[in-house]
Amino acid sequence: MAFVSTDFKHGDTTGTAPGIHAYTTPDSQADINTAGYFNSVSATVAIGDLIYVWAVNAGTQVALFTHVLSNAAGVVDVADGTVLAATDSD
């Protein structure tokens, strides 16, 4: 599938600290970490910005963190991402 801009929530990007954003998608982790996936928001994300993503990994919904590695000439590349462990031992 493709990036859906209405599912991307921009975080605070004021000051010099990296921005924190959120995105939800039925796309796989492999899809979203492909260079160019986030090109639609290239004007509003910066290198180092963190993106919290609710996506699919091996057919299961997962929460993951990724960050912007590069953003040049409208092409955004993000890290592979780190899946957040979900343990519920009760």
Side-chain angles (χ1 to χ4, degrees), residues 43-84:
T44 57
V45 298
I47 294 171
D49 281 5
L50 182 68
I51 305 172
Y52 167 77
V53 181
W54 183 246
V56 176
N57 189 22
T60 302
Q61 287 292 139
V62 295
L64 62 101
F65 280 127
T66 189
H67 66 281
V68 178
L69 294 173
S70 64
N71 183 359
V75 179
V76 176
D77 189 20
V78 299
D80 290 345
T82 301
V83 173
L84 304 175

Side-chain angles (χ1 to χ4, degrees), residues 19-56:
I20 300 175
H21 312 281
Y23 182 62
T24 186
T25 180
D27 292 345
S28 71
Q29 181 179 0
D31 288 339
I32 65 158
N33 69 32
T34 301
Y37 185 87
F38 288 100
N39 286 355
S40 297
V41 291
S42 65
T44 57
V45 298
I47 294 171
D49 281 5
L50 182 68
I51 305 172
Y52 167 77
V53 181
W54 183 246
V56 176

